Amino acid sequence: MRYLPLTPDDRTAMLAAIGAKSIDDLFTDVPQSARLDGPVDLPRVAGELEVERALGALAGKNATAGTVPFFCGAGAYKHHVPATVDHVIQRSEFLTSYTPYQPEIAQGTLQYLYEFQTQVANLTGMPVANASLYDGSTAMAEGVLMATRATRRNKAVISGGVHPHYVAATETVVHAVGVETQVLPAAVDAEAEVIAQIGPDTACVVVQTPNVFGTATDVTKIAEAAHAAGALLIVVVTEAVSMGLLRSPGEMGADIVAAEGQSIGNALNFGGPYVGLFATRDKLIRQMPGRLCGETVDADGERGFVLTLSTREQHIRRDKATSNICTNSGLCTLAFTIHMSLLGETGLRRLALLNHEAAVKTRDALKSIPGVEVLTPRFFNEFAVRLPKPAAEVVERLAEKRILAGVPYSRLAPDAGMDDVLLVAATEITTDADVAALKAALAEVL
Amino acid sequence: MSTMNTVGRPTTPNQVETRPATLTGGRGLLQNEALIFEGDGWGKTGVDLPEPKGDASDLGDLVRKDPIGLPGLSEPEAMRHYVRLSQKNHAIDLAIYPLGSCTMKHNPRLNEKMARLPGFSDIHPLQPQSTVQGALELMDQLAHWLKTLTGMPAVALSPKAGAHGELCGLMAIRAAHEASGEHEKRRKVLVPTSAHGTNPATAAFVGYTVVEVAQTDDGRVDVADLASKLGDDVAAIMVTNPNTCGLFERDILEISRLTHEAGAYFYCDGANFNAIVGRVRPGDLGVDAMHINLHKTFSTPHGGGGPGAGPVVLSEALAPFAPAPWVVSDGDGFRLIEREEEDAAQAFGRLCAFQGQMGMYVRALSYMMSHGSDGLRQVAEDAVLNANYIKARLSDLMSAAFPEGPCMHEALFDDEWLKGTDVTTLDFAKAMIDEGFHPMTMYFPLVVHGAMLIEPTETESKAELDRFIEAMRALATAAKAGDVDRFKGAPFHAPMKRLDETRAARAPKLRWTAPEGSNLAAE
């Protein structure tokens, strides 16, 4: 087997050094009844070629975003990723290193994490960011738990514009610890309705901008209302590129930002691995979940970086930790930070504007189709339309025509009574020909 | 003299003599690389994008006006920056990475190639299911391999890391107790003192009270203590097997029997499954739930700390409570059940926005298919053989924490042998860095004083093991001979000297900020 360096002679010599007669002597602690005599019933060793053929056949059965007119978003976005990104993240020293627990030989990882934290803090407009969480949805759950710790209150008010899967992932976890959630009905443009629900027991208000219907909202007034009642404002962002064009959550008064960073540097990957961005205010640092990288000096006084504030974390605090999180999204944070370094502010702003432009163009094309009603009033790169037919059915019909037209809202929330709503995203990859193809095909099936 | 905590770990760095620095801060191949924020990248970009034709005036006041504070790098500058940084990292591709409990094994590049096939990497999680049948089939195949290797009837694939898998398992256990009406009285989770920190953290996270179970002198769960703490107020036990001392729990069948008799569930931390894969099925040990770190046992890269993947195999009793989504197959192909209400009404909810770590599924399946069932069995055997070889060859100089009998995939030493040398486990670890090796896991498990936990994995050759062993022997001999200076100031030859972690935590500086008086950047 090509990954196993020991030869039969090595094994014999090593067993002799140990003083064991056979390999079975090393497994004697396993109860007799639980020892398997031979290999389980699965295929045997396979060469590279065989594996490539088998997996290539499975890959070949999927319609890839890059080969069709593509308008899917709803929390995962296709952007062009510079070739440098994937090259660098495959360097052995990044790909095959561990969590930087020995900082003297992990400054590469630690420095990019420090740079990543700074980029995320500046992008979100917040004072501090951590070294990433699993994804945006788990970041939202962690944000709600953090808010309950910080305020010693027990209830989260969640806007009807938050991605339903984010809400589900959050409720699953926070209900287990007895945190209450109040989720407002799905609505395209009603983030401000959370204000009326804030009470003395509210730990946090959660709003998303742009929301799941694409609507961008100035949340300043919501922040003021939350703060006046002693609650925190959590802003969820599922499309990180949007912050290159829209006012940052920090500028609008957010206390915690829980965002999905996939759209910078990371491929669609059928939903994962992605990278959760998590940022907050200085006074809440010690309540944060996840790893943090901090600056320090070495014995020569040279600047260096280490993982820090680990007294919040499970490996030190065990059952008193702020979260059970250990692993973060290491390599995905690296992809994010490389792509962001290449873009810089100039590139990010331009990229964001190109996204907006593509979405406006797509919106204009679709709204001219009879029966199609555009629902989203202000958007970044995604908007909702109402169709005269169930959106899931339309999407299937268009998929048969090799057009991935978007995400039916009913896929995220079957019970919302919005079966006719389609979420359509456009990015810098969207061409005029893609838009024309979508328009023609949609007009045909409606 | 440095201060120490309760397990003998120094909490302050030692004073060392400084050596003359180079004039530029660079040293040989190692460049003194500034932060991207400290260069001239303000206003620069390394991505050529077309000039936008429109503007964003339709968005009015929502448009961001102030500087964001993001420098840019041209492509050559970016490449240099990150390659220079990379050279300051240890990696499994450079040398043995013997971190006990972390399982740093070779990461096959075929897996990377497969994960990057557009048919896996360039598909959207919410595409019509008819357009992703191959992806769903891959998830189904992965599930089949994991269930067969563990002897368990069900698996929840979506947890995004080991700790997320623990969360999944405990949530399923909690849901099962809720379904049987016993949740209100079963509020305790029993966890051995040697457990990973994630175990008690997860149990507490889910709202349970953690009760510690003692360990015997031979490094196993104290069954009598466990039995005395089991009762109708216990929801589950969380046992790592092989455990964090690198030992197989000999009484595992008795442990699971007692647990089930008490009406509790057996959660197994599967972090060390690599030691027994292909030779022992956890299902035969009475396990109810076990997470599998795909980034440990099945070689998906650790990537400097992630991403991981932590699928959880489940017993018949817990299977109905598995979270959404999951894959089913019928005559029409494969279907993703995305809402718990759609099928089994008992699913406990959803753990993340989409279907988990697809990129890791592809890599893990590529690894499993490459080995086959026979190769995976050999993986466990070689991992255990390598660890025992290290233990055998170092035990005359260093004190094995549990000298009797074989270990499994990792060899555990304590710091008894360093007594009187003024060298601590930390000092010894830092001196290993100077010799070109990444240190073993230190000060874990907490039940062993000054612990040194060495896990070679099966992908080390005998020659590399011998090289490592000779270095360890040389260092151990030096420590005993009183060559303390070699250890106290170490590392001397690494990209950095010993870093002051206390200082970092005292006044946390977690981001770059523009120097006073500069007009650069926001904040």
Side-chain angles (χ1 to χ4, degrees):
Chain A
M1 205 289 135
R2 62 190 177 276
Y3 305 142
L4 300 176
L6 296 186
T7 64
D9 285 349
D10 289 337
R11 293 185 182 113
T12 305
M14 290 163 73
L15 283 169
I18 295 163
K21 283 199 264 319
S22 75
I23 191 71
D24 291 339
D25 284 1
L26 303 181
F27 286 86
T28 48
D29 286 336
V30 178
Q32 189 74 48
S33 66
R35 294 180 202 166
L36 295 171
D37 293 337
V40 293
D41 183 21
L42 287 165
R44 299 303 163 92
V45 63
E48 274 206 18
L49 180 60
E50 295 159 88
V51 176
E52 280 192 34
R53 279 188 180 139
L55 292 178
L58 291 180
K61 293 180 186 175
N62 305 320
T64 59
T67 56
V68 296
F70 181 82
F71 298 91
C72 299
Y77 300 87
K78 180 167 172 64
H79 292 283
H80 180 261
V81 178
T84 305
V85 174
D86 199 43
H87 176 87
V88 172
I89 70 168
Q90 287 198 74
R91 274 191 70 89
S92 291
E93 302 90 333
F94 289 132
L95 185 77
T96 77
S97 61
Y98 193 69
T99 305
Y101 288 137
Q102 295 288 349
E104 297 86 0
I105 45 173
Q107 285 299 302
T109 297
L110 286 159
Q111 184 168 334
Y112 84 64
L113 288 177
Y114 191 79
E115 293 175 345
F116 169 83
Q117 288 176 183
T118 307
Q119 286 173 327
V120 172
N122 289 350
L123 183 66
T124 56
M126 303 295 285
V128 288
N130 75 5
S132 81
L133 296 174
Y134 307 136
D135 70 358
S137 65
T138 54
M140 172 172 155
E142 290 283 352
V144 169
L145 290 172
M146 177 171 144
T148 63
R149 286 194 299 271
T151 60
R152 300 180 182 277
R153 296 179 183 183
N154 208 35
K155 186 177 163 191
V157 175
I158 301 173
S159 145
V162 179
H163 195 298
H165 284 180
Y166 279 50
V167 174
T170 298
E171 288 192 309
T172 296
V173 169
V174 307
H175 286 174
V177 286
V179 174
E180 280 176 62
T181 52
Q182 180 187 356
V183 185
L184 303 192
V188 172
D189 183 20
E191 307 304 316
E193 284 183 13
V194 292
I195 292 174
Q197 306 304 322
I198 300 172
D201 58 343
T202 305
C204 61
V205 171
V206 187
V207 296
Q208 181 180 328
T209 181
N211 72 12
V212 70
F213 301 99
T215 307
T217 301
D218 181 345
V219 300
T220 310
K221 292 251 165 6
I222 301 171
E224 286 167 5
H227 296 157
L232 303 181
L233 174 65
I234 300 178
V235 174
V236 171
V237 182
T238 61
E239 166 52 294
V241 176
S242 70
M243 290 182 276
L245 178 64
L246 302 176
R247 280 166 67 198
S248 70
E251 188 188 339
M252 297 188 288
D255 299 289
I256 296 171
V257 179
E260 175 54 68
Q262 171 270 329
S263 61
I264 297 177
N266 287 276
L268 289 167
N269 281 325
F270 201 46
Y274 288 176
V275 46
L277 312 181
F278 194 93
T280 190
R281 304 261 168 222
D282 282 324
K283 66 176 190 286
L284 297 172
I285 287 175
R286 285 173 201 273
Q287 294 292 340
M288 280 181 106
R291 292 176 185 147
L292 282 166
C293 174
E295 186 182 312
T296 188
V297 294
D298 74 359
D300 285 349
E302 295 293 322
R303 179 180 67 184
F305 304 94
V306 292
L307 292 181
T308 191
L309 296 181
S310 54
T311 51
R312 302 163 301 116
E313 292 186 81
Q314 48 75 29
H315 63 281
I316 306 289
R317 290 281 281 171
R318 299 176 80 81
D319 56 334
K320 305 285 191 299
T322 57
S323 164
N324 72 334
I325 284 182
C326 179
T327 299
N328 67 2
S329 290
L331 214 55
C332 300
T333 67
L334 178 60
F336 179 103
T337 193
I338 298 168
H339 192 182
M340 190 61 93
S341 300
L342 283 164
L343 284 167
E345 185 154 344
T346 308
L348 178 68
R349 283 181 183 273
R350 181 174 285 201
L351 176 67
L353 206 48
L354 287 168
N355 272 255
H356 182 60
E357 188 177 295
V360 167
K361 198 180 288 181
T362 308
R363 187 263 323 262
D364 291 346
L366 298 194
K367 82 174 177 193
S368 67
I369 302 172
V372 174
E373 180 194 353
V374 175
L375 301 177
T376 308
R378 309 166 300 282
F379 56 82
F380 169 61
N381 70 353
E382 185 166 23
F383 57 90
V385 291
R386 177 165 285 137
L387 304 176
K389 287 182 177 173
E393 193 183 306
V394 171
V395 165
E396 279 296 339
R397 293 281 307 279
L398 293 183
E400 286 163 20
K401 296 171 179 292
R402 293 189 56 77
I403 293 171
L404 295 174
V407 177
Y409 187 70
S410 61
R411 174 123 184 224
L412 305 175
D415 305 327
M418 300 175 96
D419 289 1
D420 52 359
V421 172
L422 177 68
L423 309 178
V424 181
T427 73
E428 78 283 0
I429 67 153
T430 309
T431 64
D432 288 351
D434 292 338
V435 176
L438 175 66
K439 180 182 174 181
L442 194 55
E444 194 185 323
V445 303
L446 290 181
Chain B
M1 188 66 195
S2 59
T3 51
M4 292 184 186
N5 70 8
T6 54
V7 291
R9 178 185 181 132
T11 54
T12 53
N14 298 290
Q15 297 302 309
V16 293
E17 287 176 42
T18 52
R19 297 189 304 170
T22 57
L23 299 174
T24 60
R27 274 185 295 131
L29 292 174
L30 293 177
Q31 306 282 340
N32 180 25
E33 184 66 2
L35 294 167
I36 52 172
F37 302 93
E38 294 164 334
D40 61 353
W42 304 101
K44 200 184 268 190
T45 183
V47 182
D48 293 325
L49 291 164
E51 188 71 46
K53 295 185 199 73
D55 59 23
S57 54
D58 57 319
L59 292 171
D61 280 349
L62 282 167
V63 173
R64 188 169 192 162
K65 295 184 184 69
D66 293 339
I68 305 174
L70 297 167
L73 303 173
S74 66
E75 184 174 314
E77 290 170 302
M79 190 58 84
R80 285 225 175 112
H81 179 66
Y82 292 103
V83 171
R84 286 172 178 179
L85 291 187
S86 77
Q87 292 190 309
K88 300 178 183 181
N89 271 2
H90 186 79
I92 187 66
D93 287 348
L94 283 168
I96 185 173
Y97 212 136
L99 278 171
S101 215
C102 302
T103 312
M104 293 299 288
K105 62 170 70 176
H106 172 64
N107 302 143
R109 292 315 194 273
L110 174 64
N111 305 351
E112 297 303 310
K113 185 177 177 187
M114 293 299 95
R116 284 169 174 78
L117 291 174
F120 298 132
S121 65
D122 194 28
I123 53 175
H124 189 281
L126 298 170
Q127 278 181 219
Q129 296 188 16
S130 57
T131 67
V132 288
Q133 284 295 299
L136 298 178
E137 189 175 346
L138 181 129
M139 290 168 68
D140 190 63
Q141 282 194 21
L142 177 74
H144 175 69
W145 278 79
L146 295 177
K147 288 186 290 186
T148 307
L149 287 168
T150 55
M152 302 282 280
V155 61
L157 292 178
S158 69
K160 287 183 166 267
H164 210 217
E166 292 176 34
L167 182 64
C168 176
L170 283 201
M171 294 284 291
I173 287 168
R174 183 190 155 111
H177 285 312
E178 277 171 347
S180 65
E182 297 201 354
H183 173 62
E184 287 311 316
K185 68 173 181 182
R186 293 187 181 273
R187 304 315 303 263
K188 292 180 182 168
V189 169
L190 307 187
V191 182
T193 46
S194 61
H196 294 109
T198 49
N199 291 179
T202 304
F205 197 78
V206 183
Y208 287 116
T209 302
V210 176
V211 177
E212 292 207 329
V213 178
Q215 175 170 279
T216 58
D217 291 342
D218 69 350
R220 271 86 172 180
V221 172
D222 184 331
V223 178
D225 189 53
L226 176 77
S228 74
K229 287 170 178 165
L230 277 167
D232 63 4
D233 57 346
V234 173
I237 62 164
M238 297 181 87
V239 172
T240 308
N241 189 38
N243 68 26
T244 60
C245 296
L247 303 171
F248 196 91
E249 294 286 351
R250 285 188 209 111
D251 299 321
I252 196 73
L253 295 175
E254 178 70 355
I255 289 170
S256 63
R257 189 183 62 79
L258 289 169
T259 301
H260 292 145
E261 271 178 16
Y265 291 101
F266 177 7
Y267 185 89
C268 181
D269 182 327
N272 297 334
F273 184 52
N274 55 305
I276 56 172
V277 61
R279 281 195 69 105
V280 181
R281 293 182 303 185
D284 296 334
L285 303 174
V287 168
D288 291 297
M290 182 182 90
H291 74 264
I292 300 164
N293 306 77
L294 297 184
H295 49 293
K296 293 183 179 177
T297 302
F298 298 115
S299 84
T300 73
H302 281 82
V312 175
V313 288
L314 297 165
S315 63
E316 291 290 356
L318 295 181
F321 305 100
W326 62 87
V327 176
V328 295
S329 66
D330 51 35
D332 296 335
F334 296 88
R335 220 154 38 91
L336 192 64
I337 306 294
E338 293 182 286
R339 298 194 75 221
E340 53 269 35
E341 294 87 347
E342 256 181 87
D343 200 19
Q346 290 174 291
F348 72 70
R350 166 182 281 278
L351 281 173
C352 57
F354 303 117
Q355 33 283 358
Q357 309 286 61
M358 180 66 174
M360 302 298 127
Y361 303 161
V362 179
R363 290 173 175 88
L365 186 60
S366 169
Y367 175 87
M368 288 188 229
M369 291 171 84
S370 293
H371 282 86
S373 59
D374 46 345
L376 289 171
R377 190 177 163 90
Q378 190 71 56
V379 161
E381 292 176 359
D382 285 357
V384 170
L385 179 62
N386 282 354
N388 278 284
Y389 181 66
I390 287 174
K391 183 182 172 193
R393 292 213 43 207
L394 293 180
S395 286
D396 59 327
L397 281 174
M398 297 166 58
S399 44
F402 303 102
E404 294 302 315
C407 61
M408 298 301 288
H409 61 297
E410 52 199 357
L412 177 60
F413 296 88
D414 58 28
D415 61 358
E416 182 66 29
W417 65 280
L418 284 171
K419 260 201 184 139
T421 62
D422 199 30
V423 173
T424 64
T425 293
L426 181 70
D427 297 328
F428 190 82
K430 297 300 184 190
M432 286 171 70
I433 292 174
D434 279 336
E435 303 299 330
F437 293 97
H438 193 284
M440 65 272 138
T441 292
M442 47 181 201
Y443 301 104
F444 181 84
L446 306 178
V447 292
V448 168
H449 197 272
M452 306 180 195
L453 185 63
I454 303 172
E455 178 177 6
T457 84
E458 74 283 359
T459 58
E460 295 307 329
S461 67
K462 181 170 179 295
E464 179 77 354
L465 292 177
D466 286 335
R467 199 173 74 86
F468 173 74
I469 288 164
E470 292 311 324
M472 293 290 279
R473 294 187 67 86
L475 283 173
T477 304
K480 290 183 178 192
D483 187 4
V484 178
D485 290 348
R486 177 178 301 283
F487 298 89
K488 280 297 166 197
F492 297 102
H493 301 280
M496 298 218 80
K497 297 284 177 57
R498 212 179 287 194
L499 285 142
D500 189 343
E501 301 191 28
T502 308
R503 174 188 168 125
R506 201 168 44 230
K509 188 164 180 341
L510 305 174
R511 55 170 294 170
W512 179 84
T513 45
E516 290 278 326
S518 102
N519 57 0
L520 288 176
E523 287 289 337

